[in-house]
Amino acid sequence: MTTRLICFTRRAQAEPGVRFNALMGLLAEPEGLRESFEKQPGNKAPGVDGVRKQEYERGVEGRLVELSSAVRRLGYRPKPVRRVYIAKSDGGRRPLGVPSFEDRIVQDRLSGVLQAIWEPEFRDCSYGFRPGRNAHQALARLGEIVTQARTQWVVEADIKGFFDGLSHEHLMRFLAHRIADERLLRIVRRFLKAGVLESGVFSATEAGTPQGGLVSPVLANIYLHYVLDLWFEKRYARACRGRAYLVRYADDFVACFEDEGDAKRFLPALQERLGQFSLQVEPTKTAVLRFGAHALWRCRRDGRRRPQTFNFLGFTHYVRRTRGGIALGRKTQRQRFGRKLRELSGRLSGLRVQGGRAMMLYARRHWLGHLQYYAVSGNSRSLRDYVDRVGRLLFKWLNRRSQRRSITWLRFKPVLATLLPAPRILHWLTSPTPPMTRAGSRMV
């Protein structure tokens, strides 16, 4: 973040009720646009204009001066985003919007300005796409709430098509809470209304903000800040009989409750709240479940093998007993586990024409990338299973480069030991828990 944006954030924090005007100079300053240009990776897919960073870099200083002038006089108009699809863990496809390169520059700068205004306002329960915050911190906070804050019930909920259903009208009203500059609001509206180009066919966008756009994450955070975070902390949690907590990462969130009645009332209250802002709960991904020390005791009493589990941020969460207390267990979500291996298998199959070395290097990068996210405390077994599957997939496709088997498993195992590092924990998310009474409740 530039020095001007840092100072701007401090001002926004010191003056929480101020509506800011004259923001176009901050958005369109050439130095800021230059910084946003430098931040863009050179390997991103091009938008509808086909321009990549290497091409835009030729004569970039002149281009940025023209871009700055166009933004200031409102002569700048974003291009439609190019729609592509990526596979989801449930077998479906998630639409992504690929902006043109120049739009990426302006969106990045606009995102910085909006982040500077709202970062001091965002609640502690929000972890997604915020500076200094990440998914592992959200997971650690969830573990702390479950083990140390008397949590006995968890509500897992999913917003149906959030990025596609986000209301432009409500979003612009939320932005107007802190922004009085009509010209900047007009730039935001132009991005929202830029449209989508798919297979050569243009479609207008009357709702939603495309996933893949650089300004979409902060717009989503602003929307859910007013719709969910403030409502939960200022209204719903204060009316609860017991403790209540929310942990949110972008549009993925869970709510934790001490009292059963509070948990069971939350879901209909959430449905009503989201409905006021043109959003819906996805019923197939929403559940109220007993989760905590009482869940272990009740599970034994009812003769069930184990308590219910829930998924959050790519991990399946379960409650387990430890010496003198309970802990939140985590393992890689089964759907993510399988999908990533299928993607790896397809990629290795396609790399056969490039030779064994390219295949081995890709398998190593894939495994190291998997470790960077999933190597959390308590997930060792899933990591061992995953690296074993990676090695066997690599062995399979190396031997299918020709009709003759090129290497045996016994000869290949020592190669794997050096190629794929052994699993190790990179993120320690555990925390000590108070002891439990015989009834299963912890002594707090």
Side-chain angles (χ1 to χ4, degrees), residues 25-39:
L26 189 62
L27 173 66
E29 64 174 359
E31 297 82 1
L33 294 174
R34 176 72 193 202
E35 181 180 307
S36 294
F37 164 78
E38 296 292 349
K39 286 165 59 178

Side-chain angles (χ1 to χ4, degrees), residues 84-279:
V84 297
Y85 293 89
I86 60 172
K88 296 172 60 177
S89 57
D90 60 4
R93 297 194 305 165
R94 184 189 304 277
L96 288 180
V98 182
S100 66
F101 186 79
E102 195 165 69
D103 289 346
R104 293 180 65 87
I105 297 174
V106 180
Q107 283 197 40
D108 181 81
R109 186 61 179 173
L110 177 60
S111 174
V113 173
L114 297 178
Q115 192 82 45
I117 297 173
W118 265 275
E119 181 59 29
E121 284 199 28
F122 287 151
R123 313 304 291 181
D124 286 340
C125 64
S126 169
Y127 289 87
F129 306 108
R130 294 181 59 188
R133 293 188 163 223
N134 56 47
H136 295 115
Q137 291 173 337
L139 293 168
R141 175 57 179 160
L142 179 60
E144 179 184 344
I145 291 171
V146 168
T147 57
Q148 299 184 20
R150 299 176 178 165
T151 293
Q152 302 300 338
W153 293 85
V154 166
V155 179
E156 58 169 333
D158 186 80
I159 300 177
K160 185 176 182 179
F162 170 71
F163 283 93
D164 293 330
L166 180 150
S167 165
H168 294 174
E169 180 180 351
H170 289 304
L171 176 59
M172 297 307 298
R173 183 162 54 86
F174 295 150
L175 293 174
H177 286 332
R178 298 301 307 273
I179 297 177
D181 190 334
E182 291 294 334
R183 296 195 302 163
L184 187 130
L185 292 176
R186 190 178 299 181
I187 291 289
V188 175
R189 188 178 292 277
R190 285 179 180 178
F191 273 117
L192 295 175
K193 301 294 186 182
V196 173
L197 196 66
E198 181 177 358
S199 301
V201 179
F202 174 82
S203 301
T205 47
E206 300 302 327
T209 176
Q211 294 188 65
L214 275 65
V215 76
S216 294
V218 68
L219 292 178
N221 270 340
I222 292 171
Y223 202 91
L224 289 176
H225 169 72
Y226 292 107
V227 172
L228 182 61
D229 301 352
L230 285 178
W231 168 77
F232 184 89
E233 293 190 358
K234 299 289 187 179
R235 292 173 56 184
Y236 192 83
R238 289 183 179 181
C240 288
R241 294 180 57 189
R243 301 184 183 186
Y245 301 91
L246 181 73
V247 179
R248 180 176 67 83
Y249 189 94
D251 61 330
D252 197 359
F253 64 94
V254 293
C256 302
F257 298 93
E258 178 185 4
D259 182 77
E260 178 180 357
D262 295 336
K264 292 184 175 179
R265 284 192 302 271
F266 176 68
L267 198 51
L270 175 66
Q271 291 171 329
E272 181 182 354
R273 176 67 178 179
L274 294 181
Q276 296 172 0
F277 298 94
S278 306
L279 298 174

Side-chain angles (χ1 to χ4, degrees), residues 408-419:
T408 65
W409 179 249
L410 287 178
R411 288 180 55 199
F412 190 57
K413 283 186 67 175
V415 177
L416 279 180
T418 58
L419 180 69

Side-chain angles (χ1 to χ4, degrees), residues 286-345:
T286 303
V288 181
L289 56 140
R290 188 185 292 275
F291 197 90
H294 287 178
L296 287 171
W297 168 70
R298 185 66 67 91
C299 186
R300 292 197 305 271
R301 194 191 73 171
D302 296 345
R304 289 185 288 113
R305 184 178 178 185
R306 58 174 64 92
Q308 293 174 284
T309 64
F310 67 92
N311 297 323
F312 182 56
L313 297 181
F315 292 90
T316 297
H317 295 74
Y318 58 94
V319 62
R320 60 184 178 87
R321 185 184 298 278
T322 62
R323 183 176 298 177
I326 64 166
L328 181 64
R330 303 175 185 86
K331 60 182 179 180
T332 307
Q333 189 175 335
R334 184 177 63 181
Q335 294 90 334
R336 298 279 186 97
F337 192 102
R339 176 172 59 84
K340 286 171 64 67
L341 286 175
R342 289 192 295 271
E343 292 173 354
L344 173 65
S345 181

